[in-house]
Amino acid sequence: EVGGIFDLIKNDFNGYIVKQGDLPSFKEHILKAAERKWDSVAIKNDVLQRFSINNIVLNYQKLIA
């Protein structure tokens, strides 16, 4: 749970977010992630939608407009 992580990780969708320094929770979530069947198609589509070059350009245009 550090700066910028919420822009990349959607908790329980494409990863898990744990508090920095919480080693027991980190261990628990590493094991949970290793055993989980992730929806790779949904994750890929989410990444393509949120981080496509078109979206990046649109966000820059909004920023400087």
Side-chain angles (χ1 to χ4, degrees):
E1 192 175 274
V2 294
I5 198 71
F6 291 101
D7 295 327
L8 300 173
I9 302 298
K10 292 182 176 182
N11 198 39
D12 204 34
F13 171 70
N14 65 347
Y16 299 108
I17 299 172
V18 298
K19 293 208 180 287
Q20 188 172 2
D22 185 351
L23 294 180
S25 182
F26 182 66
K27 175 187 172 185
E28 172 189 337
H29 284 88
I30 289 289
L31 295 172
K32 188 175 177 181
E35 295 172 352
R36 180 172 176 167
K37 173 74 172 124
W38 295 95
D39 186 346
S40 60
V41 173
I43 292 170
K44 177 183 175 183
N45 289 335
D46 178 64
V47 168
L48 291 174
Q49 177 187 5
R50 292 192 298 143
F51 302 109
S52 71
I53 190 69
N54 290 335
N55 270 356
I56 292 170
V57 169
L58 287 174
N59 285 328
Y60 273 112
Q61 287 175 336
K62 289 177 190 177
L63 181 66
I64 59 177

